[in-house]
Amino acid sequence: MKEIIRQTLEEARVELEQFIANPETALSIEQAAVLCAEAMKAGNKILSCGNGGSLCDATHFAEELTGRYRNSRIPLPAISINDPAYMTCVGNDFSFDEIFSRYVEGVGKKGDVLLAITTSGNSGNIVKAVEQARQIGMKIIVLTSVGADRIKQLSDVAVCAPKAAHSDRIQEIHIKVIHLLIQLIETQMNFS
């Protein structure tokens, strides 16, 4: 068991070092944070979505903004698309591919931001949400992985984790990015 622990931690360290070494990493994270802060300063909100663990990350992002991160401050306008009754309604009545796009269509407004999280970049329901957000005039940030070109082309800012054999390595990078985004948004909003 100790070997599994050591090997897993070593894999995570290597992935993080690759991510840090990529010259696009810091720039894309900064651009994403500025995009979010500017939208909120203009009276807009952030919607977030993802599947499975990525939905948990999308929810964590929204609750840290509406609740608190490290310090108390006013709540910031962020909503994760995670209502199970809504998602099963749309999945049953329409299709699983529409669970996020219909919400974006109903709640999203021009000037809002969509944070879409997909480790592969190929999740059909995430792609449809991004396409819907683009039609509305929302700004789009995606957290994905290197090589996810389809979703990157639809976004305003793409933060790409290194490609990994398993999605958990990518998700570990994504949660670090989410925490950085919150910290930078608070800085941009003059809360830190």
Side-chain angles (χ1 to χ4, degrees):
M1 286 182 51
K2 285 185 174 66
E3 181 56 27
I4 293 171
I5 294 167
R6 189 204 61 75
Q7 182 181 355
T8 298
L9 291 172
E10 180 64 18
E11 286 174 6
R13 183 189 63 77
V14 168
E15 291 291 320
L16 183 58
E17 286 178 354
Q18 287 177 8
F19 185 62
I20 292 168
N22 183 339
E24 292 180 22
T25 294
L27 178 62
S28 60
I29 294 170
E30 180 180 0
Q31 289 172 335
V34 169
L35 203 75
C36 290
E38 287 178 353
M40 288 187 284
K41 286 178 183 177
N44 297 106
K45 65 187 168 298
I46 302 171
L47 300 178
S48 58
C49 62
N51 291 301
S54 295
L55 179 57
C56 295
D57 289 344
T59 301
H60 182 62
F61 176 75
E63 58 87 6
E64 293 281 22
L65 289 173
T66 56
R68 65 175 275 178
Y69 180 53
R70 293 182 175 173
N71 301 304
S72 293
R73 51 146 167 82
I74 64 168
L76 298 172
I79 304 167
S80 176
I81 307 170
N82 64 6
D83 178 343
Y86 161 79
M87 293 168 80
T88 56
C89 168
V90 172
N92 183 63
D93 293 350
F94 297 94
S95 77
F96 185 72
D97 276 352
E98 295 182 55
I99 61 172
F100 300 125
S101 61
R102 288 188 64 82
Y103 195 96
V104 168
E105 183 179 9
V107 176
K109 303 285 182 232
K110 183 176 182 174
D112 287 347
V113 174
L114 175 66
L115 174 68
I117 307 172
T118 170
T119 58
S120 70
N122 298 319
S123 301
N125 57 6
I126 301 295
V127 172
K128 283 185 76 84
V130 166
E131 290 170 342
Q132 183 61 52
R134 176 69 57 221
Q135 286 180 14
I136 292 170
M138 294 174 66
K139 297 294 183 182
I140 300 157
I141 299 166
V142 296
L143 301 187
T144 191
S145 59
V146 170
D149 296 329
R150 182 177 178 200
I151 199 95
K152 279 175 55 177
Q153 292 170 353
L154 295 169
S155 70
D156 293 291
V157 179
V159 182
C160 301
K163 202 64 163 167
H166 303 284
S167 63
D168 55 318
R169 293 286 87 83
I170 297 168
Q171 288 172 324
E172 289 164 359
I173 298 293
H174 286 174
I175 197 64
K176 288 181 184 353
V177 171
I178 285 166
H179 287 152
L180 265 170
L181 284 175
I182 297 162
Q183 185 176 1
L184 293 171
I185 290 166
E186 288 183 344
T187 300
Q188 290 285 308
M189 302 288 289
N190 298 316
F191 292 125
S192 59

